[in-house]
């Protein structure tokens, strides 16, 4: 596997990063324009979400052609220039491969609709009558996971939107075609791959109703998923490239297998359990205060579990599918700067490869939309209607969307305080948070104490101190649920990280942490200029201590 432990990945949502031609949509040339900024940040890889030909029902995760670039993002020449210019700066590009499903506009699905038996076998079709669903499974975006095609008298499976038909990985021709996609982009100079919901690709042999849940227990981490991944990696020669799998509702045991180097599957995994600690009764669309005790326990389980079995985590707070973390687990008003820095330190100093989502390094906040007309996301629009049907008032439904919508992470990158935040000369495709005149790259580059400056320090520390990239992790028990303390160790190096997730001050109780705070360790990073002197962490305080024993 590639040397990725001291690397940092920056995720770009091209549609919202930088518009170079004034049409209100971000594009590939816009990314090229901003490579100097990305180089100054110190990141090693850019993960770009899909920019392939797509009807954009799910913002590009409904791919109609894996080998062609959607003209709204630019041309193949634009991508080749981006690869070349990034390469000159020591930055590699990672592409997002959506291999669980295609758009229903994909040539393969269109041939299936035209009656081709060969291409029907590229997807998961089931015979049946219109009034009888093959199973009672629920789509991830709401409603049934099956759609009826009257002229074929068949249903097709779509775990996501009705325009995203699931591929049949049991068919060797499908696996062969997807391998060709990887080979094509490797030839172009792509340095890594992110695989979208890749642990859902192996479906059950027999499809049955789920009377306990929505069906996911029958297709998540499925029966052939590990052999399918081994085959894909082996036959495309990507074993030594950086690869990450997005794992939906996965288990620790499976992620160990996905990422253990001996298995020769993937470099690392995303899991999302830590981002469900503010779901009321496990329901994304019911708001609750974050359960920080649960958050700490999940980090402890995954960090130590992966360590003990030689797995590797991708560590992150934000992406294009998540609300902004400073609005979610921090305080985006009174303690905006302090909480954004604390959250960054908490994740970047763990065992794993950190991912930064565009604007996270600025402390960008949730959008603050107050009308349904401001939303663009298919999931949000669907669930708004579902929430109203469940009896929620308009205000209640909008409050839930304000906290949960994926559009919170999709607002344009805030480059400056100028009109449209310097993202575009035109009205952007989606509206900006009102605070962009204060929270933006231009302002933060001028401020030595900015959130941006703090992220640069974290990235630099990972490269300077082997203990961060290579060290073991051990969590130190603290009674207060909002206080997380962990220690990294490697040979003679030790790093102690203390993070207060609460707006109230909290007293450190563990003898080990108190001893480190009062002597023998150097404070190498913190989000308050001084202290702490007496073992009390202030509101959202983060302290990073370091020692080398002789």
């Amino acid at each position: 596997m590639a040397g990725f432990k001291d690397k940092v990945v920056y995720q770009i949502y091209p549609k919202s990063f930088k518009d170079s031609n004034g049409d209100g949509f971000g594009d590939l040339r816009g990314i090229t324009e901003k490579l100097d900024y990305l180089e100054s940040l110190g990141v090693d890889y850019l993960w770009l979400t899909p920019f392939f030909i797509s009807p954009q029902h799910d913002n590009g995760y409904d791919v109609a052609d894996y080998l062609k670039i959607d003209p709204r993002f630019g041309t193949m020449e634009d991508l080749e220039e981006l690869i070349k210019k990034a390469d000159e700066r020591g930055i590699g590009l990672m592409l997002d491969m959506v291999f669980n499903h295609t758009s229903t506009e994909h040539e393969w699905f269109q041939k299936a609709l035209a009656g081709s038996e060969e291409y029907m076998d590229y997807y998961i079709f089931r015979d049946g009558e219109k009034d009888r669903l093959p199973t009672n499974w629920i789509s991830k975006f709401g409603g049934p996971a099956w759609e009826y095609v009257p002229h074929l008298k068949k249903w097709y499976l779509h775990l996501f939107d009705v325009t995203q038909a699931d591929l049949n990985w049991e068919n060797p021709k499908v696996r062969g075609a997807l391998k060709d996609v990887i080979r094509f982009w490797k030839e172009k100079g792509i340095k890594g791959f992110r695989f979208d919901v890749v642990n859902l690709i192996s479906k059950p042999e027999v499809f049955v109703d789920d009377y306990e849940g929505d069906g996911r227990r029958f297709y998540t981490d499925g029966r052939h998923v590990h052999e399918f991944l081994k085959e894909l990696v082996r036959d495309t020669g990507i074993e030594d490239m950086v690869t990450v799998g997005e794992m939906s509702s996965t288990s620790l045991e499976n992620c160990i297998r996905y990422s253990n180097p001996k298995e020769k599957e993937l470099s690392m995994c995303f899991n999302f359990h830590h981002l469900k600690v503010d779901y009321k009764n496990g329901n994304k669309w019911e708001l609750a205060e974050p359960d920080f005790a649960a958050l700490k326990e999940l980090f402890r389980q995954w960090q130590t579990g992966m360590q003990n079995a030689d797995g590797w985590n991708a560590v992150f707070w934000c992406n294009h599918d998540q609300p902004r973390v400073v609005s979610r687990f921090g305080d985006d008003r009174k303690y905006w700067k302090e909480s954004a820095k604390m959250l960054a330190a908490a994740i970047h100093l763990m065992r794993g490869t950190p991912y930064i989502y565009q604007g996270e390094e600025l402390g960008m906040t949730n959008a603050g939309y107050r009308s349904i007309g401001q939303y663009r996301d298919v999931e949000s629009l669907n669930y708004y209607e579902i929430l109203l049907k469940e009896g929620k008032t308009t205000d209640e439904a909008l409050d839930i969307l304000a906290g949960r919508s994926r559009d919170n992470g999709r607002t344009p990158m805030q480059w400056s305080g100028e009109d449209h935040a310097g993202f575009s000369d035109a009205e952007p495709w989606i509206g900006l948070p009102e605070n962009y005149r204060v929270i933006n790259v231009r302002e933060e580059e001028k401020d030595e104490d900015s959130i941006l400056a703090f992220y640069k320090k974290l990235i630099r520390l990972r490269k300077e101190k082997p203990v961060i990239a290579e060290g073991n992790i051990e969590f130190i028990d603290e009674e207060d649920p909002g206080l997380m303390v962990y220690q990294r160790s490697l040979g003679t190096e030790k790093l102690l990280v203390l993070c207060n997730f609460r707006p109230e001050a909290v007293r450190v109780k563990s003898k080990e942490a108190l001893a480190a705070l009062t002597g023998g360790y150097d404070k190498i990073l913190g989000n308050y200029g001084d202290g702490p002197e007496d073992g009390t962490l202030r509101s959202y305080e983060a302290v990073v201590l370091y020692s080398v024993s002789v």
Side-chain angles (χ1 to χ4, degrees), residues 165-196:
D166 279 54
L167 286 162
N168 175 20
W169 274 69
E170 300 293 323
N171 182 349
K173 287 183 181 174
V174 169
R175 303 200 301 273
L178 297 176
K179 289 172 198 170
D180 285 341
V181 173
I182 297 286
R183 293 183 190 111
F184 176 87
W185 291 115
K186 263 184 75 182
E187 283 289 310
K188 290 283 180 189
I190 294 301
K191 299 291 195 300
F193 295 96
R194 182 258 190 189
F195 293 99
D196 185 62

Side-chain angles (χ1 to χ4, degrees), residues 18-19 24 412-428 430-434 436-438 440 442:
K18 181 67 173 76
D19 171 21
M413 179 71 174
Q414 294 164 203
W415 294 104
S416 71
E418 297 169 0
D419 287 351
H420 314 310
F423 162 74
S424 176
D425 295 331
E427 189 76 27
I430 191 169
L432 286 147
E434 292 176 6
Y436 78 85
R437 294 192 189 276
V438 178
N440 62 67
R442 187 175 294 170

Side-chain angles (χ1 to χ4, degrees), residues 64-165:
D65 191 327
Y66 291 110
L67 306 181
K68 291 197 176 129
I69 292 167
D70 194 313
R72 77 188 77 193
F73 293 113
T75 64
M76 189 64 79
E77 289 73 29
D78 292 336
L79 179 63
E80 287 164 351
E81 181 188 21
L82 173 57
I83 293 168
K84 179 173 173 288
K85 293 281 178 67
D87 221 25
E88 288 169 2
R89 292 167 171 80
I91 299 172
L93 257 59
M94 294 173 67
L95 291 199
D96 206 327
M97 299 285 100
V98 190
F99 282 176
N100 177 68
H101 46 263
T102 73
S103 165
T104 50
E105 292 186 18
H106 195 289
E107 179 186 22
W108 301 340
F109 195 79
Q110 290 299 306
K111 287 179 176 177
L113 288 183
S116 164
E117 288 194 12
E118 179 185 357
Y119 283 95
M120 274 188 226
D121 196 37
Y122 271 49
Y123 297 90
I124 298 168
F125 280 94
R126 289 294 180 268
D127 293 326
E129 298 303 319
K130 185 171 176 54
D131 59 354
R132 191 164 176 195
L133 286 153
T135 70
N136 65 352
W137 297 359
I138 303 297
S139 151
K140 303 275 190 187
F141 291 165
W146 297 91
E147 180 71 5
Y148 193 63
V149 184
H151 71 273
L152 295 176
K153 292 192 175 175
K154 291 178 187 290
W155 297 85
Y156 68 86
L157 181 69
H158 63 91
L159 294 181
F160 293 86
D161 188 58
V162 66
T163 65
Q164 293 166 295

Side-chain angles (χ1 to χ4, degrees), residues 309-327:
D310 205 15
W312 193 255
N313 287 297
V315 289
F316 72 105
W317 289 122
C318 299
N319 64 30
H320 61 289
D321 284 336
Q322 298 291 334
R324 292 287 181 175
V325 72
V326 71
S327 298

Side-chain angles (χ1 to χ4, degrees), residues 277-280 286-292 328-329 404:
V277 297
D278 55 353
Y279 290 8
K280 190 173 183 180
E286 289 283 350
L287 300 177
E289 286 298 310
D291 182 343
F292 290 122
R328 185 177 187 178
F329 294 156
R404 292 285 186 258

Side-chain angles (χ1 to χ4, degrees), residues 246-313:
E246 181 197 26
M247 304 302 174
S248 171
S249 302
T250 190
S251 69
L252 174 58
E253 293 71 27
N254 275 293
C255 284
I256 287 165
R257 287 188 67 189
Y258 292 131
S259 64
N260 184 312
K262 290 179 188 156
E263 296 284 343
K264 299 187 177 177
E265 293 183 19
L266 301 171
S267 308
M268 64 192 88
C269 298
F270 289 118
N271 82 81
F272 298 91
H273 300 286
H274 65 297
L275 296 178
K276 297 177 182 178
V277 297
D278 55 353
Y279 290 8
K280 190 173 183 180
N281 301 320
N283 181 357
K284 173 176 176 176
W285 302 99
E286 289 283 350
L287 300 177
E289 286 298 310
D291 182 343
F292 290 122
L295 183 73
K296 282 202 303 186
E297 179 57 20
L298 282 163
F299 279 140
R300 188 193 65 75
Q301 285 175 5
W302 279 82
Q303 286 280 301
T304 57
M306 291 288 259
Q307 170 176 278
N308 293 344
D310 205 15
W312 193 255
N313 287 297

Side-chain angles (χ1 to χ4, degrees), residues 32-43:
T32 306
E33 278 181 22
K34 295 297 182 180
L35 283 173
D36 285 347
Y37 168 77
L38 295 163
E39 184 181 17
S40 74
L41 189 55
V43 297

